[in-house]
Amino acid sequence: MAYFLKKVVEYWLMPVPVILVLLAIVLWSLHRSRAPQTPRRLLWVAFVGLLLGSNIGVSTFLVEGLESRYPPMGALAPGEPAPAELAACRYVVVLGAGHADATRLAALDRLSSSALARLTEGVRILRRLPAASLVVSGPAAPHGATHASVLAAAAESLGVPRARIILIDTAFDTAAEAVAVRQRIGLGPVALVTSAVHMPRAAALFRHQGIAFIACPTDYTAKPVGRFELSDLKCDSESLSRTTTAVRERLGAWWARLRGQID
């Protein structure tokens, strides 16, 4: 009982629930007053948007719609041959995802959580492809090293020889990464590694460039259990971040289609 009460109190002290409660109090106060209709309506829109966007069930639904489009590579058991289509790849392409310019930290610690997940998956696949090279991508920040160089240093710390690493440090977005990969290493096939939520857009951009690839999604943020749970009713900042990512990916795909970068 004490543990349950602790969890309840802890949840209602988190930022998103506190904000939602405060907004609900404001809305109730406005409802009882003679405040102008337009501000009240806008506040209701903001409240409902925050409520839905930060909901675990809603954010999981939005993200899963993107993350489920390509299956994960799955376990690659030691001693077993790699799947034939993966074995045909001579390059493992890891798309960039940002890092911190905190040079006092090791390269692995400087990577964002998404970049770390992508690199880890890329190295895991590379170890099953002894003849393949690792392609890491990412431009320079306003100050400091390029993201590709930080990824390369992190890969070396995981045991990848520098001679097997190719850097692409001039592409500032996924569309430019697809163009740079085609120009640098040709039309593949390649093992394409990126976050699962980003894979549909990345795959469309690489396909548009004529690059043959095997999708290797990773960094899953929605891990649904296939049934409704009471926790799906909760609201938190992590869910708000997932919803933001899902919206950004859909807007990015729309923009790429508008510019003729994907079919």
Side-chain angles (χ1 to χ4, degrees):
M1 186 62 177
Y3 175 80
F4 175 76
L5 290 175
K6 170 180 173 292
K7 288 297 182 181
V8 170
V9 172
E10 182 182 75
Y11 171 73
W12 286 107
L13 291 178
M14 292 296 101
V16 170
V18 168
I19 291 171
L20 287 171
V21 169
L22 291 176
L23 281 173
I25 293 172
V26 171
L27 285 168
W28 176 250
S29 299
L30 288 174
H31 179 72
R32 295 173 61 85
S33 71
R34 295 184 178 180
Q37 287 292 324
T38 299
R40 288 166 58 182
R41 288 169 180 167
L42 290 176
L43 190 56
W44 269 111
V45 170
F47 175 75
V48 173
L50 179 59
L51 179 67
L52 294 177
S54 62
N55 177 259
I56 292 177
V58 171
S59 67
T60 299
F61 172 77
L62 292 174
V63 170
E64 188 186 9
L66 295 170
E67 292 188 340
S68 62
R69 293 190 191 178
Y70 290 88
M73 180 54 60
L76 298 173
E80 293 185 4
E85 58 180 1
L86 181 63
C89 297
R90 290 296 172 263
Y91 299 96
V92 179
V93 178
V94 176
L95 302 184
H99 69 276
D101 283 325
T103 55
R104 64 185 180 84
L105 299 177
L108 280 171
D109 293 325
R110 295 173 63 186
L111 297 179
S112 69
S113 58
S114 292
L116 180 60
R118 295 180 190 187
L119 182 66
T120 303
E121 178 70 357
V123 171
R124 181 178 80 98
I125 293 171
L126 189 74
R127 286 175 175 165
R128 300 305 307 274
L129 305 174
S133 296
L134 180 70
V135 181
V136 291
S137 174
H143 305 284
T146 66
H147 183 53
S149 67
V150 177
L151 284 171
E156 286 188 78
S157 72
L158 293 175
V160 179
R162 181 63 183 81
R164 294 184 67 187
I165 304 175
I166 298 173
L167 278 68
I168 294 177
D169 54 12
T170 56
F172 282 85
D173 59 19
T174 310
E177 286 178 317
V179 173
V181 166
R182 184 194 63 190
Q183 294 173 342
R184 187 72 180 274
I185 63 177
L187 299 180
V190 304
L192 179 61
V193 181
T194 190
S195 300
V197 71
H198 181 240
M199 183 60 79
R201 180 158 60 102
L205 290 165
F206 272 68
R207 190 179 298 112
H208 185 75
Q209 292 298 322
I211 302 171
F213 63 89
I214 305 301
C216 303
T218 187
D219 186 32
Y220 286 85
T221 59
K223 302 180 176 70
V225 296
R227 63 180 181 276
F228 172 78
E229 295 187 344
L230 286 177
S231 61
D232 291 337
L233 298 176
K234 289 183 178 179
C235 295
D236 57 26
S237 57
E238 183 179 347
S239 298
L240 191 59
S241 177
R242 278 199 299 268
T243 298
T244 301
T245 299
V247 171
R248 182 174 62 244
E249 284 301 322
R250 287 176 168 86
L251 287 176
W254 173 81
W255 179 246
R257 188 171 292 107
L258 189 66
R259 299 182 66 190
Q261 295 173 331
I262 62 177
D263 301 323

